[in-house]
Structure formats: structure tokens, C-alpha cells
Amino acid sequence: MKKIYIAAGLFLAIASGYGQNRSSEKADKLYDSYQYVAAIEEYLKLAEGRKGDSHVYRQLADSYYNVFNMGEAARWYAKAAESSQDAETYYRYAQALRSQGKYQEANRQMDRFAALLPNDQRAKDHKANPDYIPSLSSKDRLFDISETGINSKDQGDFGAVLSNDNILYFVSTRNNSNRTDKWVKQPYLDIFQSVRNADGTLSEPRAVGELNTAFHDGPVTVSADGNTMFFARDGLNDGNFDRDRKNNVKIGQQGLYRATKVDGKWTNIQALPFNSKSYSVTHPSLSPDGKTLYFTSNMPGGHGDSDIWKVSVDGSNYGKPQNLGSNVNTAGKEGFPSIGENGILYFASSGKQGFGGLDVFRADLNRDGEAVNVGKPVNSEKDDFSFSFNTAKNEGYFSSNRNGTDDIMKAVPVCRVEAIAMVKDGKTGRALAGAGVS
């Protein structure tokens, strides 16, 4: 499956490694410029011919991993692992195996990873509890989930956020234009909205035209009063990109932007001051009081490939971004933060112990403790991410590719209140032994 948010700069690429050769030069050039689908085609020619080697197999596996095709990634990691590899290759191989439910084989690859990087927190977690899946599977269910009815066939939908004025904003590749991201050969992301009706159903989505451009737009976050929005946008729109002169390609970085609603339209779009040509900032989530903005970035000073950060907001002034630290972030990938009124942060991680791919976690920022996996049915062996929760409506939304494409699903907390009742005779007032209430 092609994962569009890779190209949108949400989780950046795995760097090219060692062992390049002249026969793979064309494929390596495509890989180094993030054109993974085209790179896969070239690596396959080599791998299925007589020019396959450890480098080609690993690069091919990494290409599939970067577009979240874990079945093919696992296949080619297995070939690459016949020769010695670096630690991260074994970790990615384990992740690909977990996404297929092959936990024992994943543990064997984690053993190899841990032997090479024993001080990595992921290695420490594995050594402390390698067989965590049964206990994770048996956790009390926190949410019931259901379909939303707004997903598009064969296109990706994610980043759903329900505002207090009953508008569900999300991003999708369902647009009808011929614009295609060459990295993953899918349409660019656009911002859409759907109205939540009184009965909880959602109206037919429509594009938010004033926010969408010729490149990637979204995901978004909205203030409590519904009049201020922060959203991500591709840097190719306003020159926020670097040029890879070696491969003759522009590398756009995601940036964050602010917009205000005037007469029902989003206007006055302004870039945030900490956007950069050197790294991406994306996945915004504004605190209910409007004073703190959480986001995902691979800016310097992080723990891994992408981390969750926060920055203070005071009108149009912003503080210095702060990393949320090791209780949330790992040496892997963290993203899609969503902060609630009670200080509970939901986010996605590939670096913490989960069922496979990306899992949804929650952290209580009012306490100093590790984030916890929210368990099934929100999480699965596939990618589960972009969880948001509206406390006033007592419902959340998240995305999952468990059915083959990124679909938006609804999550409602499980009621765990136990009622104890005494049944009495209506005339005498005496308790009735053995009576039940349903």
C-alpha cells in the first residue's frame, strides 16, 4: 500500500546506506530523491535478474517500508538479512513482520537489533518484555469502533478532527485533479470538511477550497471557538524547500500555517516563524485554551526520526519549540499528536511496543509516566494513527489501513460503570431475594 503521508514530509526517509554499486546507480538516485515507487521498479529489475545483492535487497526493502507495503518489505528484508546488516535494518524487518502478525520471527530480528544497539531504549524494552503481545491483547477495551461512512474508495483519508461547532475536518487524496505526487504516484492531499448531524451521522464531504493548493495541504487543528486553524502545507508552495542538485530535485519541507475564519471562509493565512527549509514541522494540535501548539518534527534536538514537540502561543507570537521528551518520543517515529482538555495526549508511534506498524498511544502530560498503548480494537497489526478526541461530544476519530487503504473510523469510550440495585416489593417495601435487573 502506498502511504501518501510519507511524501507529505510527515515521516522522513530512511537514509541510503553502504554498498552502492554501479548497477544500482539509477535506482539509488531515485531512492535518494525519495521517488520510492520508481526506485522499486528499478531495484526489482536488479533483484529479479542477476544483479541482486545485499545492497539491492535492503534498498528494495526500505523502499517498500517507506511506502508502507510491509508484506513486500518483509520479503526483501529476509533476503537482505542473509548477510550482515546494520541495527536499524533488523528493527525495520521486525516491524514489517509484526504488521503480518509474525511475532516470534519479529522477536528474533529484535534480538539481532538489541545485540547491536543494547543501549537503545527500544532494545531495553525488548529485553525486558519480549513477549508482550498476549498481555497487550488482553487489556481492557477502552473504545468501541465503527465505520464513519465518509471514506473514499481506493483513496487515503486521515487526520480527522471534530470541532466544537460540529465540523469534521480531514485530509484526503480524493480530489479530482490530475495533480500527482511523483514520489508515491498518488494525488496530492487536500483538506475536506463534513458536518456532524444531530444524530451523529456525517454529511457528504466537500473540499475546503480556500485552503487547498497545487501541493499537499493538511492535516489541521481548530481552536475551541472554531475561528482559528493551524494546518500543515507543502513547502513547495512558498519556497520552503531545498534543492538536491545531485539528483536535480526539489525537496519540499512541510510547514505550519495559521488561518482565521471570516464570514465563513478561511483567510489571512500566515506561515509560522519556526518553519524551515532544513526540516519539517507538521501534524498540528492546539490545546483547548489555545496557549500551546503540539506538532511533529524532525528538527535537530529530537530523539529519533520524527518527534512530538510543543510551542507556546500568544496571539501571533510563538515561543521556542520544546521536545516532549523520552516518555513520549523514541528513536523511532512519533507523530499525529492530539491534545485534550484533560491533558491527555494521543499520538502514533512506531518506536514503542505495539501490534505492528504505527500504534496509537496516550500519555497523561499532568503526570511523569510512560505513554501507554490504547490496545485493540483501535490498534491492529496494521497502521493505526491520527487519533483525536472531542470531549464535549464524547467521541473520537482515527485512521487505519487495516482494510487496505487509510480509512477514518469512529471511536466511542466503553462505559465501565457498574450499577448496584435493590429490588423491592411495590406494596410492602420488602427486598425481593434473587431478583435481577437488566
Side-chain angles (χ1 to χ4, degrees), residues 95-166:
Q95 285 288 88
L97 289 166
R98 282 198 195 104
S99 72
Q100 298 176 295
K102 299 178 180 179
Y103 297 117
Q104 292 303 315
E105 178 58 28
N107 278 350
R108 285 192 281 271
Q109 300 308 319
M110 284 299 296
D111 288 341
R112 301 171 81 175
F113 165 77
L116 292 173
L117 285 180
N119 294 322
D120 189 290
Q121 188 59 49
R122 295 168 294 175
K124 293 178 181 178
D125 290 343
H126 169 69
K127 290 178 179 179
N129 189 15
D131 299 312
Y132 64 87
I133 291 295
S135 61
L136 190 57
S137 299
S138 63
K139 286 181 61 175
D140 286 341
R141 190 171 77 254
L142 298 179
F143 298 93
D144 288 324
I145 67 172
S146 60
E147 302 289 340
T148 58
I150 61 170
N151 295 303
S152 53
K153 184 179 180 181
D154 301 326
Q155 295 296 334
D157 304 287
F158 65 93
V161 175
L162 180 62
S163 67
N164 290 335
D165 55 354
N166 288 312

Side-chain angles (χ1 to χ4, degrees), residues 201-249:
T201 60
L202 296 167
S203 69
E204 183 67 22
R206 69 171 182 84
V208 186
E210 64 269 29
L211 293 176
N212 294 323
T213 65
F215 298 98
H216 292 297
D217 298 285
V220 314
T221 185
V222 185
S223 62
D225 64 7
N227 293 323
T228 301
M229 175 186 287
F230 292 90
F231 65 99
R233 172 175 283 180
D234 197 313
L236 293 173
N237 279 294
D238 59 5
N240 189 33
F241 60 85
D242 275 334
R243 183 180 295 278
D244 184 342
R245 300 189 181 280
K246 176 182 177 182
N247 296 306
N248 191 31
V249 65

Side-chain angles (χ1 to χ4, degrees), residues 47-59:
E48 294 174 349
R50 297 183 177 181
K51 296 183 178 180
D53 58 19
S54 177
H55 168 74
V56 169
Y57 300 146
R58 190 191 73 251
Q59 292 289 97

